[in-house]
Amino acid sequence: MDSTSAKEQLRRRIHNDRVASDSQHPPPPPMKKAKQEPVGGFFMPSSFLAPLPQRMVLAQYSEAPQRAGVSSSSGNRKQEAVVSGVRGGKVEETTAKVDDGVSPVARGCRQFWRAGDYKDANGIIPAAHSSGVGLDHVRVHPKFLHSNATSHKWALGAFAELLDNAVDEIVHGATYVNVDVLNNREDGSKMLLVEDNGGGMTPDNIRQCMSLGYSVKSKSSNTIGQYGNGFKTSTMRLGADVVVFSRCPAADGKSQTRSIGLLSYTFLRSTKKEDTVVPMVDFEQTGQGWNRLIRSTSDDWNMNMRTILLWSPFVSEQDLIGQFDYLGNKGTRIIIYNLWEDDEGQLELDFEADQEDIQIRGANRDEKNIEMAKQYPNSKHFLTYRHSLRSYAAILYLKLPTKFRIMLRGSEVEHHDIVKDMIEPKTTTYRPQQLADGMSNNHEVSAVLSIGFVKDARHHIDVQGFNVYHKNRLIKPFWRVWNAAGSDGRGVIGVLEANFIEPAHDKQGFERTIALLRLEARLKDHQKQFWTSKCHEIGYSQRVKPKNTTPSSSKKANNNIISKSSPPSIQDGEILALAGSNQKSKMSGLKRSENGSSEEEDEEGRTIKNLSIALKDEEINCVSKGEGKFNLLQSLEEERVKSKKLESELEEKTKELKEVEKEAQTSLDDIVVLKQMIKEEKEWRDAIEQNLRESLKSAEQTIETLQERVRELEGGQVEDGSGSS
């Protein structure tokens, strides 16, 4: 029997079994609409968490094709799956054998950036068709799992999402998150483990977690997650499949529960599913034992369990339930397997380079930076965060609670504060001028910026940038805002928490808004000012010359001339100063020739003599006429008061002028930003217009080709007709 006839028989058998299943399990009668309650701030449909009808869920689990990615040493697929349940304190087991007549499915692509090519063995993309159940509805194709995960260009960013979920569980008593590497006992491949001892998830919560775009955190101010996408995108970015175990303690009169969910891209691809199906099973504690928690029918529960066993690394229900022993009384355990490979067939993640770390291969790994990190320990995180999970996790949070630990492969990740790497950091406060939502400039929307030279800056290595956090989470690591042509800016690092700008959905950058562009411009100004004023302290040439405070030679000469005259008394010291200032221009005009002319010296001597005589006469007159001296001193005092008043007015006017210049500069910056945004919008519209023109041109060519074909066919029919007549 050839493969074509075998596939056709398989299709007919599956179709007949579906029809028989539908006849045995007709849809239940309509029930009275329950009162709708808000969940997480949103009103969800009453059937949101209800299981799908049996004919839409999983048909022929026991006849699942060969799983992609399983090594031949362990067998191409499981020949049988043990399905057991605990009922009345007794363990019941059944065995479901896999039909050996099922044609194997080709091994799926193990490279993440190529795994989105969702085609069958003949290279044809399966066409979507109506499910035939209920009203027409939007469906989520399995390919969307891969498309959604491509938002993570960086594998360590996917790890950060999983760490965020664990940190959010601190409010529910979590004290640690453990990231480790496991061996798949079935085929010896590597698997990733991420577990925490938080509050766990109820059966409803785990279904919300596995649903696309749903998040109960979006309205919480003390949590990092908000888009309802992190778990799905991060796990699918690291591996093709993930199985989740969650244990939730008893609360609000409800029993303690255990839940298992499987999100398997391999399963969906291999079985050619056209909907994203996530099998789940639940258990609840009754007395001292655990019983199945049936949400629809026992057949549905058995189907879900059978699918999880067939497509997970576990061969029996006992092995599956044994994973809860690692959690204690509460928590969540995530196991990611069928990890992605690079173009050379090696795992994208490197587990061998460091037994206490998880690193990534490829362009993010720079051997030169790794060697420099050993030589310059204060710059280690800048040089290694791109490829080392341990280095990245150490700076991922601005502050970490003292009772919470991040464990990586059995060793604790030591939290690191970048400010400790700085030389005499300078602190300043940045307040955005205008916010989009009209919020005032108060302490809640301001950012405290710490800036300084890294301690290794004296070695002139190119380390610079700002670590920008949002709600305690690092969004932009070592953001380089000043790209100078030469060595300017090197060694300057900074840290700030900007809660007034929103991060992008992948939390690896911020939304490109005017507020972000203003912040970028201000950080660039801070870096330039700090660098130009202090770069000479770390060995660079001085950029700003000090102001010349040394008196001029003429001023020194005048002081010497005045000092040679008869010493004034204390009372008439001000008179002497006034007289000296009046004669300053005359005395500074006296110049000596290169040969030292005696006539000029005599002239200078006579001038000094006449000045001394005039001063003595003035002193005598003032002594004899006390009233004249008093009037002169009073006039001097009035002039001094007027001078101080003018100085204060000048200072105020200078401040006002600076404010006006600052506002004008801000307006100019806004104009530049708006022009840039308009330019980008125009380029985007031009690109769309060009694409539409090309599409229209292609469509016209297609129409002409079809018309020509129609004319040929019509001509052929006419000839056939004339020939037959």
Side-chain angles (χ1 to χ4, degrees), residues 292-468:
R292 299 179 181 181
L293 179 59
I294 307 298
R295 296 175 63 90
S296 55
T297 65
S298 297
D299 290 340
D300 290 340
W301 195 99
N302 290 331
M303 284 185 180
N304 288 331
M305 175 59 76
R306 190 179 301 120
T307 304
I308 293 174
L309 291 174
L310 282 172
W311 297 95
S312 73
F314 308 100
V315 297
S316 66
E317 187 174 330
Q318 286 83 356
D319 190 14
L320 201 65
I321 295 177
Q323 298 298 310
F324 289 104
D325 296 338
Y326 296 98
L327 294 177
N329 294 326
K330 59 186 179 69
T332 301
R333 183 176 175 89
I334 300 171
I335 297 178
I336 307 170
Y337 55 103
N338 284 335
L339 306 180
W340 298 114
E341 299 174 353
D342 60 15
D343 294 336
E344 298 178 355
Q346 293 182 320
L347 288 179
E348 184 182 19
L349 300 174
D350 185 359
F351 304 109
E352 306 300 331
D354 189 340
Q355 296 300 319
E356 294 184 352
D357 195 6
I358 297 176
Q359 301 181 0
I360 59 177
R361 297 184 174 92
N364 291 297
R365 184 183 181 90
D366 191 333
E367 297 297 335
K368 182 180 178 180
N369 285 349
I370 295 175
E371 294 300 323
M372 289 178 62
K374 298 176 182 178
Q375 186 178 359
Y376 307 111
N378 295 297
S379 304
K380 179 181 69 174
H381 293 89
F382 174 87
L383 297 169
T384 60
Y385 82 91
R386 293 178 181 86
H387 75 275
S388 169
L389 178 58
R390 179 171 292 275
S391 178
Y392 179 53
I395 60 175
L396 185 59
Y397 303 104
L398 185 61
K399 296 178 182 178
L400 197 64
T402 55
K403 296 183 179 180
F404 188 83
R405 298 184 300 164
I406 299 177
M407 303 296 297
L408 178 57
R409 302 190 72 176
S411 178
E412 183 176 358
V413 176
E414 183 178 356
H415 178 262
H416 184 75
D417 187 358
I418 295 295
V419 178
K420 295 181 180 179
D421 295 331
M422 299 181 187
I423 302 175
E424 298 180 359
K426 175 185 175 182
T427 302
T428 184
T429 301
Y430 170 74
R431 292 183 175 86
Q433 293 185 355
Q434 185 77 25
L435 297 180
D437 54 3
M439 295 177 62
S440 60
N441 296 334
N442 52 39
H443 67 281
E444 294 181 355
V445 295
S446 61
V448 177
L449 170 64
S450 298
I451 187 173
F453 279 112
V454 68
K455 293 178 181 179
D456 297 320
R458 298 185 185 277
H459 301 285
H460 296 181
I461 58 177
D462 191 9
V463 175
Q464 61 173 301
F466 294 87
N467 274 13
V468 186

Side-chain angles (χ1 to χ4, degrees), residues 30-78:
M31 300 178 63
K32 183 178 180 181
K33 185 176 180 180
K35 182 179 180 182
Q36 192 176 9
E37 297 292 340
V39 180
F42 295 95
F43 282 92
M44 306 304 298
S46 58
S47 60
F48 177 72
L49 298 174
L52 294 173
Q54 182 176 356
R55 56 177 171 176
M56 292 179 60
V57 184
L58 299 168
Q60 298 301 321
Y61 290 92
S62 60
E63 299 186 55
Q66 173 191 352
R67 289 189 294 166
V70 181
S71 63
S72 58
S73 60
S74 60
N76 289 334
R77 53 181 169 165
K78 297 177 182 177

Side-chain angles (χ1 to χ4, degrees), residues 263-280:
L263 182 60
S264 174
Y265 190 57
T266 304
F267 156 65
L268 297 171
R269 279 180 60 111
S270 300
T271 56
K272 300 298 182 293
K273 296 298 179 186
E274 298 175 12
D275 281 309
T276 300
V277 179
V278 182
M280 299 183 186

Side-chain angles (χ1 to χ4, degrees), residues 523-697:
L523 292 179
K524 184 177 180 180
D525 291 341
H526 278 296
Q527 186 176 1
K528 284 184 176 180
Q529 294 174 6
F530 188 86
W531 164 262
T532 53
S533 62
K534 294 181 177 293
C535 63
H536 60 280
E537 297 180 5
I538 58 172
Y540 291 97
S541 59
Q542 193 169 9
R543 299 306 197 261
V544 179
K545 296 182 179 180
K547 295 182 179 179
N548 188 6
T549 58
T550 306
S552 63
S553 58
S554 61
K555 188 173 182 180
K556 288 182 179 179
N558 291 337
N559 292 338
N560 293 333
I561 294 173
I562 295 174
S563 63
K564 291 179 181 179
S565 62
S566 58
S569 61
I570 298 176
Q571 291 81 2
D572 59 7
E574 296 177 353
I575 301 174
L576 179 60
L578 180 61
S581 62
N582 291 334
Q583 296 296 328
K584 181 178 179 181
S585 59
K586 295 181 180 179
M587 296 173 64
S588 61
L590 298 176
K591 299 182 179 179
R592 293 184 175 88
S593 61
E594 294 180 358
N595 56 2
S597 173
S598 60
E599 294 179 358
E600 291 181 355
E601 292 178 356
D602 293 342
E603 181 66 24
E604 182 179 354
R606 286 193 297 270
T607 302
I608 295 173
K609 184 177 181 180
N610 293 335
L611 178 61
S612 300
I613 294 172
L615 290 174
K616 288 181 179 179
D617 292 341
E618 184 67 25
E619 181 181 359
I620 295 172
N621 292 335
C622 288
V623 172
S624 61
K625 299 179 181 180
E627 183 178 356
K629 180 178 180 180
F630 175 78
N631 291 335
L632 182 59
L633 292 174
Q634 187 176 12
S635 299
L636 289 173
E637 183 65 25
E638 291 176 355
E639 291 296 330
R640 185 183 293 109
V641 172
K642 290 181 180 179
S643 178
K644 290 184 177 179
K645 184 177 180 181
L646 290 174
E647 288 179 357
S648 62
E649 291 179 356
L650 178 62
E651 185 177 357
E652 292 178 359
K653 295 296 183 183
T654 303
K655 290 182 179 179
E656 292 178 0
L657 180 60
K658 288 183 179 180
E659 291 294 331
V660 172
E661 291 178 350
K662 184 178 179 181
E663 293 178 358
Q665 183 63 36
T666 302
S667 300
L668 290 175
D669 293 341
D670 291 344
I671 292 174
V672 172
V673 171
L674 290 174
K675 285 184 177 179
Q676 182 64 25
M677 295 178 67
I678 292 173
K679 181 180 178 182
E680 294 176 356
E681 182 72 16
K682 186 176 181 300
E683 292 176 353
W684 178 72
R685 291 179 180 272
D686 292 342
I688 291 179
E689 183 178 357
Q690 182 64 26
N691 292 335
L692 291 176
R693 291 181 183 275
E694 293 177 356
S695 300
L696 179 59
K697 184 177 179 180

